[in-house]
Amino acid sequence: MMAPILNVQGLETQFRLEEGTIRAVNGISFQLNEGEILGIVGESGCGKSVTMMSILRLIPAPPGKVVAGQALYKGRDLLAMKDEEFRQICGSQISMIFQDPMTSFNPVLTIGRQIAEPLEAHLSLTRGQVYERVVELMTIVGIPNPKDRFNDYPHQFSGGMRQRVMIAMALACSPQILIADEPTTALDVTIQAQIIELVKELRDKLGMAIIWITHDLGVTAGLVDRVLVLYAGLIIEEASVEELYAHPEHPYTIALLGSLPRMDAGGRKRLVSIEGKPPVLYEKPTSCPFAPRCKYRIEHCSTENPLLMQVRVGHTAACWVDPKTGKERS
């Protein structure tokens, strides 16, 4: 078993607004192993991005604040580090690809200059070495004629090429953890497939661990090793990708998978919709947050919020009911 490179325990993040305090993340715990691709899935507003932004101390304060928890990177708590110590790690050992390649660049700086920034901040390189490394990175991520495009500006690149540049920036210092926040959302399906294949190749070549945040379970199936399903700022199911798709154990996961079109369904099959809306978390959930939308709910669901419980080896779910039988789990 590979040793965990990142160990998050009891993470809680809140946003204090005029309308009240939003409990966006409500006690999330997980581990990331060396060389692993971990998928984090769930619908918009479930806490995926806020969890990662909390770990990287990117939550705007005010109104946001991490109120509890630890994020241990190689045994050192990222959340408790002094600013200077954290800056040495963030961007060099841990990098992030942000969601929208269209708005993630400074429009008045060249692409080459922007890729060079993390190299200049974290590594002692000459100007010539920086240039050679930037060209190498652009080549690695598949940008044609990198020397000719070094001095081009972001608006001169397509969406797919901008996303490749974002990946090059994130890889500049050879990080051990790469966090990708829905990096293919704004791209067409052909470019999505190219980016996903590129990420897999880079993981195999560089050996880094990856956290892939998405709401697209179709993307997850062909990319990740293990999946965390989030709902209402909580992990409600965790399993290997093969196990999760073959034997989903939480009604929310079942519904998410039911909303995907299937090529192996033997003809047209009506997609499943999830009725109702996600909860607005002005209070930390004390009962199952999915219960109002769940067709399997029982009385216990309205009185106590279930913790993750093992249903098979390496597979946990936070649900009082076995959806296959409709009976309460013992």
Side-chain angles (χ1 to χ4, degrees):
M1 181 68 180
M2 295 176 291
I5 191 171
L6 180 66
N7 187 358
V8 177
Q9 294 296 322
L11 186 68
E12 296 187 24
T13 303
Q14 300 178 357
F15 293 87
R16 296 185 181 275
L17 309 175
E18 290 184 5
E19 300 83 0
T21 299
I22 300 293
R23 272 77 176 177
V25 177
N26 292 302
I28 282 180
S29 300
F30 68 91
Q31 293 183 341
L32 175 69
N33 298 316
E34 292 185 4
E36 177 183 40
I37 303 182
L38 176 67
I40 299 183
V41 304
E43 60 194 313
S44 298
C46 70
K48 306 184 301 294
S49 297
V50 173
T51 296
M52 293 303 116
M53 300 282 274
S54 299
I55 292 169
L56 294 182
R57 293 162 56 161
L58 294 175
I59 297 295
K65 185 178 181 181
V66 178
V67 298
Q70 292 181 313
L72 302 175
Y73 170 67
K74 296 184 176 179
R76 301 158 64 197
D77 188 2
L78 296 171
L79 302 179
M81 287 180 181
K82 293 181 179 180
D83 290 346
E84 182 59 34
E85 184 181 10
F86 181 77
R87 277 195 292 268
Q88 294 301 315
I89 292 175
C90 188
S92 60
Q93 299 179 49
I94 304 175
S95 293
M96 186 165 183
I97 304 170
F98 293 96
Q99 189 170 125
D100 188 356
M102 308 302 175
T103 59
S104 297
F105 293 99
N106 187 327
V108 299
L109 294 180
T110 65
I111 286 296
R113 180 73 189 85
Q114 294 187 62
I115 298 175
E117 284 184 353
L119 295 169
E120 295 168 348
H122 296 287
L123 302 178
S124 299
L125 301 176
T126 65
R127 179 175 294 183
Q129 289 172 326
V130 168
Y131 173 80
E132 292 300 324
R133 177 60 174 160
V134 171
V135 171
E136 179 188 10
L137 288 164
M138 293 173 73
T139 302
I140 288 172
V141 298
I143 295 174
N145 307 315
K147 291 184 179 180
D148 296 335
R149 307 221 63 181
F150 185 93
N151 290 316
D152 285 352
Y153 288 87
H155 72 271
Q156 296 174 276
F157 286 73
S158 67
M161 284 297 156
R162 271 186 263 196
Q163 195 58 283
R164 289 173 184 266
V165 173
M166 284 291 295
I167 294 172
M169 291 174 65
L171 296 177
C173 299
S174 301
Q176 297 194 38
I177 298 176
L178 177 66
I179 300 171
D181 186 4
E182 304 206 40
T184 61
T185 298
L187 308 176
D188 65 57
V189 292
T190 303
I191 304 301
Q192 282 186 23
Q194 293 175 3
I195 295 296
I196 290 166
E197 199 59 37
L198 172 64
V199 168
K200 288 195 287 187
E201 290 175 4
L202 293 172
R203 191 279 297 265
D204 295 339
K205 182 183 296 185
L206 304 176
M208 60 189 172
I210 299 172
I211 298 176
W212 188 276
I213 304 168
T214 184
H215 63 269
D216 188 339
L217 279 88
V219 169
T220 306
L223 176 65
V224 310
D225 303 309
R226 187 163 53 93
V227 185
L228 306 179
V229 183
L230 266 62
Y231 187 81
L234 296 162
I235 296 173
I236 53 94
E237 189 161 4
E238 176 180 356
S240 69
V241 66
E242 297 86 359
E243 170 72 13
L244 187 86
Y245 281 69
H247 306 288
E249 291 287 348
H250 194 286
Y252 178 61
T253 310
I254 294 170
L256 284 179
L257 291 172
S259 68
L260 287 177
R262 296 282 297 267
M263 298 298 291
D264 60 349
R268 294 192 176 186
K269 182 179 178 182
R270 188 174 182 85
L271 301 181
V272 176
S273 62
I274 306 175
E275 296 183 358
K277 298 179 181 178
V280 179
L281 297 172
Y282 288 122
E283 298 294 337
K284 187 174 180 178
T286 56
S287 59
C288 176
F290 189 63
R293 308 172 71 185
C294 181
K295 65 180 182 180
Y296 299 97
R297 63 181 176 270
I298 58 175
E299 185 177 349
H300 197 174
C301 304
S302 302
T303 59
E304 185 179 3
N305 192 9
L307 300 176
L308 285 169
M309 57 189 83
Q310 183 168 300
V311 292
R312 267 184 296 278
V313 175
H315 190 162
T316 58
C319 185
W320 295 120
V321 180
D322 182 342
K324 293 186 293 296
T325 64
K327 296 180 180 179
E328 185 166 2
R329 287 191 168 108
S330 55

